[in-house]
Amino acid sequence: MNEFGQIGVDQQLLPQDSGYEVKELLGGCLCCAGQLPMQIALSRLIYDKQPDRLFIEPTGLGHPAQLLAQLTEPQWQAQIDMRALVTVIDGSRLHDSEWVNQELYQDQLKAAQIVVVSHADSMSASDHEVLNQFKNDYFAYIQTWVLAEQGNLDIQQLDLSHQGVERKVVPLIQVQKQFNPDEVLPVVKQLPYHYVETSNGYTVAGWKFSKRWQFDFYDLLDVLCEQKDWLRIKGIFNTNQGWMTFNFNPENLNYKSGEESLDNRIELISQHNRDWESLETALLNCRIDQAEKTQ
């Protein structure tokens, strides 16, 4: 159990005589506060207790994808049989748009194979509506949704094998052409960038561009409407009509004005191989901020 603070309370509250033992890691999220304390604590726990099952709970501020990358490194494979990653969300707060629209909240959902919805007995009609929308939005990532009333769960619902997500965050495809064919592409974090990830038979491709880049709304709408063989398209763009959000599914092509975003971004989900370069080229051709096109 990972406590963000330096004191820790939960270990004192949880009983230690019910066939399980709780160990705390204090002082920040274990996925970013340094791997060594986590590795030492985990090694000691496995050696001393030889547990049949091990649950690792990061803080609510944790990035589970980073922790998962650590636990799937070669040195752990002989000791740990990785199971599905579980994310718990408060069902009674799904109607709170400021809560569920946080980027960290969404990152934790994307990392999960199983989502447990707590406080299911306290959910309102609007909470259930948002939950159904979540199931549509994250169908390419999440295998199982479990509603828990009064905190009760069947352990078999959580006992699924881990399915890794292959993700590469790399330069824009046009930039990639500057590298030699046998050269390893650099892993990038700065904008702009492109990524492709695969999971559960789906491929998700995405792009992020600087918020200063502006796009022609109608040109952009034409590009998105012309796409074929897709299951979902979601995007946020700074356009000459203001900030616009796009949420396309095969039944509805929805777009509307939106709040200013941290960046321009788009994701497309498909079950087929696609020509991602042609889509990237079409998107970049929608830019209207001519002074920055050479940057």
Side-chain angles (χ1 to χ4, degrees):
M1 179 173 293
N2 187 203
E3 290 276 17
F4 195 78
Q6 296 290 342
I7 299 176
V9 175
D10 288 342
Q11 186 167 358
Q12 305 303 316
L13 298 177
L14 293 171
Q16 303 292 306
D17 56 357
S18 301
Y20 62 88
E21 182 166 341
V22 179
K23 292 293 184 184
E24 283 185 324
L25 283 173
L26 303 175
C29 173
L30 54 80
C31 62
C32 54
Q35 297 186 34
L36 187 57
M38 188 272 290
Q39 291 179 355
I40 293 174
L42 183 55
S43 295
R44 286 178 176 173
L45 188 61
I46 292 174
Y47 180 80
D48 293 341
K49 302 300 177 181
Q50 299 182 5
D52 297 310
R53 191 180 300 273
L54 177 67
F55 289 92
I56 298 179
E57 184 202 19
T59 74
L61 301 175
H63 292 269
Q66 297 177 24
L67 178 58
L68 195 61
Q70 295 176 23
L71 294 173
T72 52
E73 291 177 350
Q75 68 265 27
W76 293 115
Q77 293 178 5
Q79 299 171 287
I80 297 176
D81 175 20
M82 182 64 64
R83 312 305 287 171
L85 191 149
V86 181
T87 291
V88 180
I89 60 175
D90 184 345
S92 66
R93 295 192 65 178
L94 294 180
H95 63 276
D96 186 343
S97 59
E98 291 188 6
W99 181 259
V100 301
N101 288 329
Q102 297 177 64
E103 188 166 356
L104 176 59
Y105 191 100
Q106 296 173 5
D107 286 346
Q108 291 178 345
L109 281 174
K110 284 185 177 181
Q113 288 177 238
I114 302 171
V115 171
V116 173
V117 183
S118 69
H119 301 85
D121 48 319
S122 302
M123 292 175 63
S124 65
S126 59
D127 291 325
H128 281 285
E129 184 178 342
V130 174
L131 178 60
N132 290 331
Q133 185 63 50
F134 273 7
K135 291 179 179 180
N136 289 328
D137 288 346
Y138 295 96
F139 70 90
Y141 300 93
I142 300 167
Q143 294 176 282
T144 305
W145 297 81
V146 181
L147 269 65
E149 297 186 3
Q150 303 298 323
N152 293 315
L153 286 172
D154 180 354
I155 191 65
Q156 298 303 319
Q157 294 178 291
L158 308 183
D159 195 11
L160 302 179
S161 297
H162 166 64
Q163 292 188 2
V165 176
E166 181 183 352
R167 188 181 200 198
K168 296 181 179 179
V169 180
V170 292
L172 297 182
I173 299 174
Q174 294 186 3
V175 176
Q176 293 176 32
K177 292 182 176 180
Q178 302 172 11
F179 295 89
N180 295 324
D182 56 349
E183 190 173 356
V184 177
L185 293 176
V187 177
V188 298
K189 293 184 178 180
Q190 71 278 8
L191 303 177
Y193 65 72
H194 162 60
Y195 76 85
V196 175
E197 63 186 26
T198 56
S199 175
N200 301 323
Y202 297 96
T203 298
V204 184
W207 288 262
K208 279 191 177 185
F209 309 114
S210 167
K211 67 183 298 181
R212 295 180 299 134
W213 292 15
Q214 192 174 64
F215 295 78
D216 184 278
F217 169 71
Y218 290 107
D219 288 348
L220 185 61
L221 183 61
D222 286 344
V223 168
L224 299 183
C225 290
E226 290 167 359
Q227 298 307 304
K228 302 182 184 300
D229 297 326
W230 53 269
L231 297 172
R232 198 63 181 265
I233 299 176
K234 298 183 72 174
I236 305 173
F237 282 91
N238 176 14
T239 78
N240 54 349
Q241 302 292 323
W243 282 91
M244 303 293 293
T245 65
F246 301 87
N247 192 349
F248 287 14
N249 61 57
E251 288 76 33
N252 296 289
L253 306 180
N254 297 314
Y255 57 88
K256 62 181 181 179
S257 299
E259 299 293 329
E260 180 177 320
S261 175
L262 295 174
D263 46 52
N264 292 283
R265 60 179 62 185
I266 182 171
E267 288 185 331
L268 187 148
I269 302 174
S270 176
Q271 286 184 298
H272 305 279
N273 292 324
R274 294 178 53 90
D275 181 3
W276 300 120
E277 182 179 356
S278 65
L279 174 56
E280 179 182 292
T281 300
L283 291 172
L284 294 179
N285 286 340
C286 297
R287 284 187 62 188
I288 57 177
D289 49 329
Q290 297 292 332
E292 292 186 0
K293 281 194 176 185
T294 58
Q295 296 182 9

